[in-house]
Amino acid sequence: MDFEYTREEEAFRQEVRDFLDENLPPREQRGSDFMENWLARVREKRWVGFSWPREVGGGGGDIMSQVILKEEMAARRAPPLGTCMMGLAWVGPGIIQYGTDEQKARFIPDILDSKYHWCTGYSEPNVGSDLAALQCKALRDGDHYVINGTKIWTTLAPIASWISMLVRTDNFGSEEAKHEGITALLVKLDAPGIEIRPIENMAGQRAFAQIFFDNVRVPVANRLGDEGKGWAVTISSLANERSSIGEVTAMYSKLESLKELVRRTTRNGKPLSDKPSVRRELARFEAKIEAMRLNGLRYLTRQIRGQPLSSETSVNKLHRADLEVEMGDFAVSILGQAGNQTRRQEGAVDNGSWAADALGWPSVVIGGGTPNIQKNIIAERILKLPKD
Amino acid sequence: MDFEYTREEEAFRQEVRDFLDENLPPREQRGSDFMENWLARVREKRWVGFSWPREVGGGGGDIMSQVILKEEMAARRAPPLGTCMMGLAWVGPGIIQYGTDEQKARFIPDILDSKYHWCTGYSEPNVGSDLAALQCKALRDGDHYVINGTKIWTTLAPIASWISMLVRTDNFGSEEAKHEGITALLVKLDAPGIEIRPIENMAGQRAFAQIFFDNVRVPVANRLGDEGKGWAVTISSLANERSSIGEVTAMYSKLESLKELVRRTTRNGKPLSDKPSVRRELARFEAKIEAMRLNGLRYLTRQIRGQPLSSETSVNKLHRADLEVEMGDFAVSILGQAGNQTRRQEGAVDNGSWAADALGWPSVVIGGGTPNIQKNIIAERILKLPKD
Amino acid sequence: MNFGFTEEQELLREQVRKFLEERCPTSTVRSIMNSDAGYSSEHWSQMAALGWLGLMIDESHEGVGLGWIDLIVVLEEMGRSLCPTPFVSHCLTASTLCELGNEEQKKTCLPGLASGDTIGTIAVLDIPDDPIADNLTLQASADPGGIILTGTKPFVTDAGSADLFLVAYRHANKPGLAIVRRQDDGVSASSTATMDLTKRTGTLTLENVKVPAAQLIPMTEAQLIRLLDKGVVAVTAEMVGAAEAIIEMTTSYARERIQFGHPIGKYQGVKHRLAEMYVDVESFKSLAYFAAWCVDEDPDQLPRAASLAKAYASDAFAQMGIDGVQLHGAIGFTQEYDIQLYLKRSKWARPMFGDADYHYERVAALTL
Amino acid sequence: MNFGFTEEQELLREQVRKFLEERCPTSTVRSIMNSDAGYSSEHWSQMAALGWLGLMIDESHEGVGLGWIDLIVVLEEMGRSLCPTPFVSHCLTASTLCELGNEEQKKTCLPGLASGDTIGTIAVLDIPDDPIADNLTLQASADPGGIILTGTKPFVTDAGSADLFLVAYRHANKPGLAIVRRQDDGVSASSTATMDLTKRTGTLTLENVKVPAAQLIPMTEAQLIRLLDKGVVAVTAEMVGAAEAIIEMTTSYARERIQFGHPIGKYQGVKHRLAEMYVDVESFKSLAYFAAWCVDEDPDQLPRAASLAKAYASDAFAQMGIDGVQLHGAIGFTQEYDIQLYLKRSKWARPMFGDADYHYERVAALTL
């Protein structure tokens, strides 16, 4: 057991730090061209798609260096390494693993260069946790598929140019063989027959959309992987999730802001930071976040050693979901009426940012597979308990 | 809405109080014949079997007077009104509702006179929450049933003379018709073929037993209700539970002892009663107990008005289960190592009584139908959610 | 002993529920909550016509002369429907005037409140949120024939719509209430929505406001606390109704939403949480009813009873708000679905007139 | 960065597990825990022979010279099996002597500890239970060539079986440790079982015990706290193993126990609780491993790391003890079934070297 880093790893960490010293000025000093330059510089370093193979344009980096890169970026609250978020997180890895050479050549460079946005289409109105029950269908017509149906909860859809989506090309209406007959397609969002309808969430943001497909024609060349084998593509992209290092740093930084808040806030004349229940709750958050950090490192060690993981990542997902809800609610629970006021409302604390946090958790908590599903995964796959 | 009592009710309350003043000396002044006299006096008053019809020897009392009687008895920590606990709580009401005139004449007076103990035989080794899956069988042989099988978790079995038990007389091995074919029998425990093996619980007490039946012959005259209709007998005896008034008084008295404990106990030089988390937890117990009291009164009002209850009693059962576990654990959780020491162990607090409490909850919590079962009952019967 | 409602009270409940179902369905709630006024003057007149605005006011002052148990029947239904209205503020004002005002003050103020021509609210604490006497700090200065008030009261509910304010102050070491009207010189008040858009709050600013002695209501500290405890009871009664709505909406969703081939209400992960919610609502409902009964019938027991109810409700309802949304999955947190409105109500209600921490501590102080 | 065990450590774990499975199955645990001695001297010699008793002792003093990460591998397995043994007390004694003793003291004491001829324990706090310096109050009086100790140390683990006690005292405003032997004049100690019959505790009574200077170990307050933090880590490591045993036993019961036609493990009410237990144990295991690593490799981080681990474990393991029994239904709370032994262990472990309240508060003091 060893929490030290090798000399090479430390050197890489220093390289990242030096880079950030040079290229990441304080927020108020950033000019209008900052973001463009930033993206160009990190692209030059091959830090975009850091773990992707060098032959497709990635960095070919190993897991440990990736952890270091994420840690340092998160610690300095650096902007993302590319703006094509879904492309970098989900679509790119899928194309690299299952795509044809043409698809790789066509899509990967654009993702790395932040050319345009991608979104992903899994959920449907009657299909939530039970992803394989999807009904959006695509029928073959010569060298095209014709899509009819709808996708919902599609993040970024209002600004994306492409969608990587799952459709049903076979086994319509079969409950038993529902995992078969699913196909993954890459679809340009300006195709005729597509309508995108934004969905407003309870915090008033429009980050999601429902997309309607009415006889949308997609070339067979845009199929990702084999026909009917789209479930494997999805599974592999879900399994693509690595340890939650960046997340942990973000949670620590959220915890720091809570600590800062309770230090400067008084109630009945005393700082909230002196209140025993406040102190205990913050310490409990710290224990959970530190557990996430260490769980992540323990599982990472297993991966580096080539020992297969089962579904251990669900452990940190459950912590994350709890913490999102609890930390999101914590500030407003101790700030009284003022804490509940949102932006531009009378008496709001910190311009309503805590109140906004208290309404922001569901996209994380529900989006990543509900806690109940995560518990089923642990119970069934790790503890070998019977299925529901 | 009115929490006052009628003049008649207040007069009855006064009658009980006067009786207690006269007949319930302080514990240290009670002589060896106290209990015998006590039982005789309350029997004279017809307070044993208070709500049972007068023609079988009961008191014919109404619900409200029964509540008052229970409240006053519990408030003064009076001894029970009869020592035949299971007879008064379960067996007697069953015999009154389903028994023949001969059975009533034979058993009810003895129950009221605390002549001997009864126990009840429902659970079996492979039959816990799913009571109707019982397998202990009784085959008809002329004017006898012949019982083979076993009953477990039978409270008081080691000292009881009779058992009221469920056996299967039909539908052996049928999952679907399992509620049919169950028969209730009244069995004398000295019958040949009966073996009683006490079970020690984790607190070291032997209040339970497993009973083995090997070709035990029981006269058909001892059957309670019709053959194959024993499930109805059970259901009605379970439904016979009234509001939890006596229980609530007992919980309040337990809460009082906890308050007294934290007032006289210091930790790092300060009374535990000054510690905010201790104060909050005790107040939370108080809220739950008071909620139980008021829920009980609300449901009681409905009963008095003749409005049918669904399974609302499960609400208080769940509170009770939580409180038993939480209050049982609370003292030892704040007393440190000393609190964990049981009787005759080094440094025990209050001769280990808190430690004993911390091990005593399961019989209440599990015995009354596990919390998971109670939640199913509420979800399915009241909220009309689908069955598992 | 009788812990149930009378036939009249059940009829009142039916009347209120019917009114709100017909006149204030969620579509109406949404359009009112997004309006500037934050309440519907049409509803207000209708409520006046039905006698609800004068519910607490005795008949000699043109009211209906009912009590707190009747009031909470109305409040429970209001909570269920989320109807945006200054009703709670108004009733607290009326109830306080009835109890503490002199005959002249009653004659002047109550008929207007009963008819709804005047909307009333209370402005008590200068330091939010704990409902303790120390948090009333506004010092009045002496003036010939009365007092002068200068200061700001934060978080005055419905400050924007109210015409009449009962403003708490201290003078000569004693607390009192001043009857102040919106049009009085030096008075200004406006309110914004809260996170829960169906509820409004604002600041009441008083600049050299002269209040003649005839408009002053002397008050003991105990009466001040009693006034705040009435607020506790009113808010908790609304929480009961809103919490029941969460169970109803989520239960019906759980019966219909199919996942993995079954309604999600079949899975214990969902059904047990709903059962726990039921246990909690049944319980803080009983506590709230009893506290309401204490207001009129057993004032000595009110502090403990009110605190037990609000403490239990604050924690339980806040968790229900969150879980109600979560059990709905993604649809639950869309603006167009109603369950999230109840989440916001649960956040709003939690600190009102004291949160669970405050009220549990108060119970401990009273009983430990 | 490498957060895993070495091959040697995995082999050690296998060796310990195999030993305990073979030599200390539950039937043996039960017979030892009901014996007067409370441990098996046969086990003790075997453990000595396997080198476990000298694990922390360097080779120059006839030990094996391993570190805390190796130790917690053994402790985790001990926790899993509930093996009744003074092993933890013994290791804390050895580790402290190695770190703080002078060469002469090491020469005198360590070989006996490594061979198991001497059983060691520590007697630190005079006021249980919070592991803070203020709770060491025993004042030594001066004596030519040493000190005199008079007093009683409560809750000294394994006081009945120990031969050598490291007794904490204060003298001239400074804390120190005295090496005291059972046979020394004025020393008496005995122990009884605790609620967890596999663990023993007792009072060490010192009456005019003369301790020569050569037997005294000077200590700073920081070293005192570090000694207690080692206790925290050791107890938490045992909790990890015991908690995993609860999951294993309950999971296997849930797979086999049929109710309503299905294994109870099919119902989310059961399976989700088990999944939550898994999440908790994975988490306090990671925290405990890291704290153990800090003992040897990053002492500055030890206080926070140890407190996070013990705080998380105390709450989570206590709840698991209760739920493990509850999920077993009636059979779970019979004396003959093993799950209740783990409930008792969870009660025992909770306050040892500080409970969750203490450790969370300490984290707050360190980080807020």
Side-chain angles (χ1 to χ4, degrees):
Chain A
M1 207 167 285
D2 183 5
F3 289 88
E4 313 285 324
Y5 292 85
T6 64
R7 200 179 307 179
E8 291 72 27
E9 286 162 355
E10 288 296 2
F12 179 65
R13 188 184 295 278
Q14 196 53 51
E15 183 188 339
V16 180
R17 287 183 182 172
D18 292 345
F19 176 89
L20 289 171
D21 287 343
E22 205 173 312
N23 294 287
L24 191 68
R27 201 168 292 264
E28 58 280 8
Q29 291 168 30
R30 294 179 197 167
S32 58
D33 57 349
F34 163 75
M35 197 61 198
E36 197 179 328
N37 285 332
W38 166 264
L39 292 174
R41 294 302 318 273
V42 293
R43 181 80 184 90
E44 251 167 52
K45 297 289 274 181
R46 293 241 183 180
W47 288 350
V48 195
F50 184 81
S51 66
W52 296 2
R54 293 188 73 85
E55 56 271 26
V56 301
D62 61 21
I63 298 181
M64 215 46 242
S65 309
Q66 195 182 10
V67 167
I68 291 167
L69 183 65
K70 278 188 188 174
E71 275 182 353
E72 294 301 318
M73 291 287 165
R76 295 278 284 272
R77 304 197 191 189
L81 298 175
T83 57
C84 180
M85 275 106 77
M86 303 308 259
L88 290 167
W90 307 105
V91 183
I95 293 175
I96 289 168
Q97 192 175 355
Y98 289 96
T100 60
D101 288 343
E102 287 72 27
Q103 287 170 339
K104 287 181 202 171
R106 180 172 177 195
F107 295 117
I108 298 297
D110 288 353
I111 292 175
L112 292 171
D113 292 333
S114 301
K115 281 271 175 68
Y116 47 79
H117 285 285
W118 279 85
C119 60
T120 56
Y122 300 142
S123 298
E124 297 178 12
N126 291 311
V127 178
S129 305
D130 185 10
L131 221 56
L134 63 91
Q135 288 157 22
C136 183
K137 70 179 172 191
L139 298 180
R140 188 75 173 259
D141 178 20
D143 55 356
H144 280 76
Y145 288 101
V146 181
I147 310 179
N148 278 289
T150 180
K151 292 287 170 182
I152 199 168
W153 316 124
T154 313
T155 317
L156 297 184
I159 57 168
S161 307
W162 283 82
I163 184 171
S164 167
M165 67 187 291
L166 293 179
V167 292
R168 182 163 296 288
T169 47
D170 201 357
N171 290 327
F172 301 94
S174 153
E175 172 64 22
E176 273 161 43
K178 66 184 175 183
H179 293 87
E180 299 294 316
I182 293 172
T183 299
L185 295 179
L186 307 174
V187 182
K188 198 141 191 279
L189 283 168
D190 61 5
I194 290 182
E195 187 201 345
I196 299 175
R197 203 177 294 166
I199 300 171
E200 192 178 2
N201 72 11
M202 66 177 170
Q205 298 143 346
R206 289 161 175 266
F208 301 95
Q210 180 165 6
I211 311 185
F212 298 88
F213 297 84
D214 179 14
N215 284 313
V216 176
R217 296 181 69 82
V218 180
V220 170
N222 284 8
R223 189 183 68 213
L224 186 59
D226 294 338
E227 182 170 304
K229 299 297 173 198
W231 188 245
V233 177
T234 322
I235 288 297
S236 92
S237 85
L238 293 175
N240 193 56
E241 285 182 87
R242 285 281 163 83
S243 64
S244 34
I245 303 302
E247 266 176 27
V248 166
T249 317
M251 310 294 279
Y252 262 125
S253 127
K254 198 173 218 168
L255 180 61
E256 275 314 311
S257 0
L258 287 176
K259 287 181 182 172
E260 190 268 329
L261 174 70
V262 302
R263 276 187 220 111
R264 69 174 150 92
T265 309
T266 57
R267 182 116 178 214
N268 300 325
K270 280 182 223 151
L272 275 176
S273 55
D274 286 355
K275 192 173 167 177
S277 58
V278 165
R279 296 169 66 80
R280 194 187 207 277
E281 190 67 353
L282 289 173
R284 199 177 63 81
F285 292 154
E286 183 143 349
K288 276 200 165 196
I289 301 172
E290 180 72 358
M292 280 181 75
R293 180 178 83 87
L294 295 168
N295 287 339
L297 292 176
R298 204 148 58 80
Y299 300 147
L300 191 67
T301 300
R302 295 240 291 266
Q303 286 180 302
I304 292 173
R305 290 183 179 180
Q307 294 159 350
L309 284 183
S310 169
S311 302
E312 281 84 355
T313 50
S314 290
V315 169
N316 277 356
K317 279 190 197 153
L318 279 164
H319 276 315
R320 172 92 195 276
D322 278 358
L323 283 168
E324 284 288 333
V325 175
E326 292 168 3
M327 291 172 76
D329 188 54
F330 182 68
V332 298
S333 81
I334 56 173
L335 290 175
Q337 294 174 81
N340 272 338
Q341 298 296 86
T342 60
R343 207 149 68 94
R344 284 196 284 271
Q345 288 178 350
E346 191 98 18
V349 179
D350 294 338
N351 198 24
S353 61
W354 305 107
D357 276 4
L359 299 177
W361 53 268
S363 53
V364 176
V365 173
I366 297 168
T370 67
N372 278 353
I373 294 292
Q374 301 298 341
K375 288 178 194 170
N376 267 6
I377 288 174
I378 290 175
E380 294 168 11
R381 298 200 198 148
I382 300 179
L383 302 178
K384 311 292 181 205
L385 288 165
K387 296 203 175 243
D388 281 340
Chain B
M1 206 167 288
D2 185 4
F3 289 87
E4 312 285 324
Y5 293 85
T6 64
R7 201 179 307 180
E8 291 73 25
E9 287 161 355
E10 288 295 1
F12 179 64
R13 188 185 294 280
Q14 196 52 51
E15 182 187 341
V16 179
R17 287 184 181 171
D18 292 345
F19 176 89
L20 289 171
D21 287 344
E22 204 174 312
N23 294 286
L24 191 67
R27 202 169 291 266
E28 59 280 8
Q29 291 169 29
R30 295 178 195 166
S32 58
D33 57 349
F34 162 75
M35 196 61 198
E36 198 178 327
N37 286 333
W38 166 263
L39 291 174
R41 293 302 318 276
V42 293
R43 181 80 184 89
E44 254 166 49
K45 297 289 275 183
R46 292 242 185 179
W47 289 351
V48 195
F50 184 81
S51 64
W52 296 3
R54 293 188 72 86
E55 55 271 27
V56 301
D62 61 22
I63 298 181
M64 214 47 242
S65 310
Q66 195 181 9
V67 168
I68 291 167
L69 182 65
K70 278 189 188 175
E71 274 182 353
E72 294 301 318
M73 290 287 166
R76 296 278 283 270
R77 304 197 190 189
L81 298 174
T83 57
C84 181
M85 274 106 75
M86 303 307 257
L88 289 167
W90 307 105
V91 182
I95 293 175
I96 290 168
Q97 190 174 357
Y98 290 96
T100 61
D101 288 343
E102 290 71 25
Q103 287 170 340
K104 288 182 201 170
R106 181 172 178 196
F107 296 117
I108 297 297
D110 288 354
I111 291 173
L112 292 171
D113 291 333
S114 301
K115 281 270 176 66
Y116 45 79
H117 286 284
W118 278 86
C119 59
T120 56
Y122 300 141
S123 298
E124 297 179 12
N126 292 310
V127 178
S129 305
D130 184 12
L131 221 57
L134 63 90
Q135 287 155 23
C136 184
K137 68 179 174 192
L139 298 181
R140 188 74 174 259
D141 178 22
D143 55 358
H144 280 75
Y145 289 100
V146 182
I147 311 179
N148 278 287
T150 179
K151 291 286 171 184
I152 198 168
W153 317 125
T154 313
T155 316
L156 297 184
I159 57 168
S161 307
W162 283 81
I163 183 171
S164 167
M165 66 188 291
L166 294 178
V167 292
R168 182 164 294 289
T169 47
D170 201 356
N171 291 328
F172 301 94
S174 153
E175 172 64 23
E176 273 162 43
K178 66 185 175 183
H179 294 88
E180 298 296 315
I182 293 172
T183 299
L185 295 179
L186 308 171
V187 182
K188 199 145 192 278
L189 283 168
D190 62 3
I194 289 181
E195 187 202 344
I196 298 175
R197 202 177 295 166
I199 299 172
E200 193 178 1
N201 72 11
M202 64 176 171
Q205 299 143 346
R206 289 160 175 269
F208 301 95
Q210 181 165 5
I211 311 184
F212 298 87
F213 298 85
D214 178 16
N215 285 312
V216 176
R217 296 182 69 84
V218 180
V220 169
N222 286 8
R223 189 184 67 214
L224 187 58
D226 293 337
E227 182 170 301
K229 301 292 172 202
W231 188 246
V233 177
T234 322
I235 287 299
S236 92
S237 85
L238 293 175
N240 193 57
E241 284 181 86
R242 284 281 164 84
S243 65
S244 33
I245 305 301
E247 267 176 28
V248 167
T249 317
M251 309 295 280
Y252 262 125
S253 127
K254 197 173 220 170
L255 180 61
E256 276 312 312
S257 357
L258 286 177
K259 287 181 183 173
E260 190 267 329
L261 174 70
V262 302
R263 278 187 219 112
R264 69 174 149 93
T265 308
T266 58
R267 181 114 178 216
N268 301 324
K270 281 182 223 151
L272 274 177
S273 55
D274 286 355
K275 192 174 166 175
S277 59
V278 165
R279 295 168 68 80
R280 193 187 209 278
E281 190 67 354
L282 290 173
R284 200 177 62 82
F285 292 153
E286 183 142 349
K288 276 199 163 193
I289 301 172
E290 180 71 359
M292 281 180 74
R293 180 178 84 87
L294 295 168
N295 287 339
L297 292 176
R298 204 149 56 81
Y299 301 146
L300 192 66
T301 299
R302 295 240 291 265
Q303 286 181 303
I304 293 173
R305 292 183 179 181
Q307 294 158 349
L309 284 183
S310 169
S311 302
E312 282 83 354
T313 50
S314 289
V315 169
N316 277 357
K317 278 190 196 153
L318 278 165
H319 276 314
R320 173 94 195 275
D322 278 358
L323 283 168
E324 284 287 333
V325 174
E326 291 169 3
M327 291 172 77
D329 188 54
F330 181 68
V332 298
S333 81
I334 55 172
L335 290 174
Q337 295 174 80
N340 272 337
Q341 299 294 89
T342 60
R343 207 149 70 93
R344 282 196 286 272
Q345 288 178 350
E346 192 97 21
V349 179
D350 293 338
N351 199 23
S353 61
W354 304 107
D357 276 4
L359 299 177
W361 54 267
S363 52
V364 177
V365 173
I366 297 168
T370 67
N372 279 353
I373 294 292
Q374 301 298 341
K375 288 179 195 170
N376 267 6
I377 288 174
I378 290 175
E380 293 166 12
R381 298 198 199 150
I382 300 179
L383 303 178
K384 310 294 182 204
L385 287 165
K387 296 204 177 241
D388 283 339
Chain C
M1 207 299 304
N2 159 19
F3 193 13
F5 293 99
T6 62
E7 216 165 305
E8 291 73 21
Q9 286 158 345
E10 294 296 356
L11 285 172
L12 176 62
R13 182 188 296 280
E14 267 174 53
Q15 184 196 53
V16 180
R17 190 177 292 197
K18 189 153 169 279
F19 175 87
L20 292 169
E21 278 172 5
E22 282 171 12
R23 312 286 176 94
C24 195
T26 327
S27 54
T28 308
V29 169
R30 285 172 179 268
S31 80
I32 301 172
M33 82 187 190
N34 288 311
S35 70
D36 281 345
Y39 78 104
S40 148
S41 51
E42 198 188 327
H43 281 169
W44 194 252
S45 327
Q46 290 162 340
M47 290 180 188
L50 289 163
W52 303 351
L53 303 186
L55 202 80
M56 315 293 291
I57 298 170
D58 49 294
E59 288 164 281
S60 60
H61 298 100
E62 298 173 31
V64 183
L66 295 179
W68 271 77
I69 293 295
D70 308 282
L71 178 63
I72 62 163
V73 166
V74 182
L75 289 174
E76 223 182 306
E77 296 306 316
M78 296 256 184
R80 182 188 310 275
S81 79
L82 299 182
C83 177
T85 166
F87 185 74
V88 170
S89 307
H90 190 78
C91 290
L92 289 173
T93 309
S95 171
T96 305
L97 273 167
C98 287
E99 206 166 297
L100 303 178
N102 62 31
E103 192 45 42
E104 198 49 41
Q105 290 163 339
K106 289 186 193 176
K107 259 192 202 154
T108 324
C109 304
L110 292 178
L113 291 171
S115 70
D117 292 342
T118 310
I119 299 179
T121 192
I122 58 169
V124 181
L125 299 183
D126 300 275
I127 302 169
D129 297 90
D130 290 347
I132 54 177
D134 284 355
N135 284 341
L136 162 56
T137 59
L138 178 66
Q139 294 292 341
S141 44
D143 188 54
I147 57 167
I148 293 179
L149 294 175
T150 295
T152 54
K153 292 275 180 188
F155 297 113
V156 175
T157 51
D158 305 302
S161 44
D163 308 298
L164 183 155
F165 299 84
L166 293 184
V167 181
Y169 64 90
R170 291 185 178 276
H171 189 55
N173 283 327
K174 282 186 181 156
L177 289 170
I179 303 172
V180 170
R181 293 187 184 258
R182 173 177 294 277
Q183 69 269 26
D184 292 348
D185 281 349
V187 174
S188 62
S190 65
S191 58
T192 59
T194 67
M195 174 196 287
D196 174 0
L197 298 180
T198 67
K199 290 287 187 183
R200 304 279 155 147
T201 196
T203 305
L204 171 68
T205 307
L206 304 159
E207 267 192 61
N208 271 310
V209 178
K210 289 178 184 243
V211 191
Q215 306 283 69
L216 300 181
I217 304 173
M219 179 169 64
T220 63
E221 299 239 330
Q223 284 166 332
L224 168 65
I225 296 302
R226 176 169 163 82
L227 161 55
L228 294 166
D229 274 335
K230 287 181 181 176
V232 171
V233 172
V235 167
T236 310
E238 278 201 326
M239 291 162 92
V240 172
E244 287 195 322
I246 290 177
I247 294 182
E248 283 158 25
M249 295 176 72
T250 312
T251 306
S252 108
Y253 181 79
R255 278 192 292 254
E256 282 153 30
R257 170 78 171 173
I258 308 288
Q259 293 278 277
F260 302 103
H262 298 285
I264 59 170
K266 178 184 158 73
Y267 303 111
Q268 291 186 348
V270 172
K271 74 201 279 192
H272 283 188
R273 181 62 195 115
L274 282 163
E276 289 159 5
M277 289 183 182
Y278 180 82
V279 169
D280 281 339
V281 179
E282 282 294 286
S283 299
F284 69 75
K285 178 194 271 189
S286 294
L287 292 167
Y289 287 176
F290 182 65
W293 182 80
C294 288
V295 175
D296 287 333
E297 305 294 336
D298 197 347
D300 289 349
Q301 282 208 61
L302 178 60
R304 173 176 173 273
S307 281
L308 286 173
K310 181 69 177 20
Y312 195 129
S314 289
D315 277 351
F317 183 39
Q319 194 59 49
M320 285 177 68
I322 289 171
D323 294 343
V325 166
Q326 195 164 323
L327 290 173
H328 275 77
I331 200 155
F333 65 97
T334 59
Q335 198 67 263
E336 66 184 309
Y337 214 80
D338 292 336
I339 189 77
Q340 47 91 19
L341 298 176
Y342 291 87
L343 167 69
K344 291 169 181 169
R345 172 60 65 91
S346 78
K347 302 273 190 226
W348 177 85
R350 178 164 54 180
M352 290 305 293
F353 295 100
D355 60 14
D357 262 12
Y358 168 77
H359 284 291
Y360 278 130
E361 171 53 35
R362 188 187 189 206
V363 169
L366 289 167
T367 65
L368 186 55
Chain D
M1 209 297 306
N2 160 20
F3 194 14
F5 294 99
T6 61
E7 216 166 303
E8 291 75 21
Q9 285 159 347
E10 292 296 356
L11 285 170
L12 175 61
R13 182 188 296 279
E14 266 174 51
Q15 184 197 52
V16 180
R17 190 178 293 198
K18 189 155 170 278
F19 174 89
L20 292 168
E21 278 172 6
E22 282 171 10
R23 313 286 176 92
C24 195
T26 327
S27 53
T28 309
V29 169
R30 286 172 178 270
S31 79
I32 301 172
M33 79 186 195
N34 288 310
S35 70
D36 282 345
Y39 78 105
S40 147
S41 50
E42 197 188 327
H43 281 169
W44 194 251
S45 328
Q46 291 161 341
M47 290 179 188
L50 288 163
W52 303 351
L53 303 186
L55 202 80
M56 314 294 291
I57 298 170
D58 48 296
E59 288 166 278
S60 59
H61 298 100
E62 298 174 31
V64 182
L66 296 179
W68 271 78
I69 294 294
D70 308 284
L71 178 64
I72 62 163
V73 166
V74 182
L75 289 174
E76 223 183 305
E77 297 305 316
M78 296 256 183
R80 182 188 310 274
S81 79
L82 298 182
C83 177
T85 165
F87 185 73
V88 169
S89 307
H90 190 78
C91 290
L92 289 172
T93 310
S95 171
T96 304
L97 272 167
C98 287
E99 206 166 295
L100 303 178
N102 62 31
E103 192 45 42
E104 196 50 41
Q105 291 163 339
K106 289 186 193 177
K107 260 192 202 151
T108 324
C109 302
L110 292 178
L113 290 171
S115 70
D117 292 343
T118 310
I119 297 180
T121 191
I122 58 169
V124 180
L125 300 182
D126 300 276
I127 303 169
D129 297 90
D130 290 347
I132 53 177
D134 283 355
N135 284 340
L136 162 56
T137 59
L138 177 66
Q139 295 291 340
S141 44
D143 189 52
I147 57 166
I148 293 179
L149 294 175
T150 295
T152 54
K153 292 276 179 186
F155 296 113
V156 175
T157 51
D158 304 302
S161 44
D163 308 297
L164 183 154
F165 299 84
L166 293 184
V167 181
Y169 64 88
R170 291 184 179 277
H171 189 54
N173 283 326
K174 283 187 180 155
L177 289 170
I179 303 170
V180 169
R181 293 185 184 262
R182 172 176 295 277
Q183 69 269 25
D184 293 349
D185 282 350
V187 174
S188 61
S190 64
S191 58
T192 59
T194 67
M195 174 196 287
D196 174 2
L197 299 180
T198 67
K199 291 286 187 183
R200 303 281 154 146
T201 196
T203 305
L204 171 68
T205 307
L206 305 159
E207 267 192 61
N208 269 310
V209 177
K210 286 177 186 246
V211 190
Q215 306 284 68
L216 299 181
I217 303 174
M219 180 169 64
T220 63
E221 299 239 329
Q223 285 167 333
L224 168 65
I225 296 302
R226 177 170 162 80
L227 160 54
L228 294 166
D229 273 335
K230 287 181 182 177
V232 171
V233 172
V235 167
T236 311
E238 279 199 326
M239 291 161 92
V240 172
E244 288 197 319
I246 290 177
I247 295 182
E248 283 157 25
M249 295 176 71
T250 312
T251 307
S252 107
Y253 181 79
R255 279 193 292 254
E256 282 152 29
R257 171 75 170 176
I258 309 288
Q259 293 278 279
F260 301 103
H262 298 284
I264 60 170
K266 179 184 157 73
Y267 302 111
Q268 291 187 347
V270 172
K271 72 199 284 190
H272 283 188
R273 181 63 195 114
L274 282 164
E276 289 159 5
M277 289 184 182
Y278 180 82
V279 169
D280 281 338
V281 179
E282 282 293 287
S283 299
F284 69 75
K285 178 194 270 189
S286 294
L287 292 166
Y289 287 178
F290 181 66
W293 182 80
C294 289
V295 175
D296 286 333
E297 305 294 336
D298 197 348
D300 289 348
Q301 283 208 60
L302 178 59
R304 173 176 173 273
S307 280
L308 286 173
K310 182 69 179 19
Y312 195 128
S314 289
D315 277 350
F317 183 39
Q319 195 58 50
M320 286 177 68
I322 289 170
D323 294 342
V325 166
Q326 195 162 322
L327 291 173
H328 275 77
I331 199 154
F333 66 97
T334 59
Q335 199 66 263
E336 66 183 310
Y337 213 79
D338 293 337
I339 189 76
Q340 46 93 18
L341 298 176
Y342 291 86
L343 167 70
K344 291 169 180 169
R345 171 61 63 92
S346 77
K347 302 271 192 226
W348 176 85
R350 179 164 52 181
M352 289 304 294
F353 295 100
D355 59 14
D357 263 11
Y358 167 76
H359 284 291
Y360 277 131
E361 172 53 35
R362 188 187 188 206
V363 169
L366 288 168
T367 67
L368 187 55

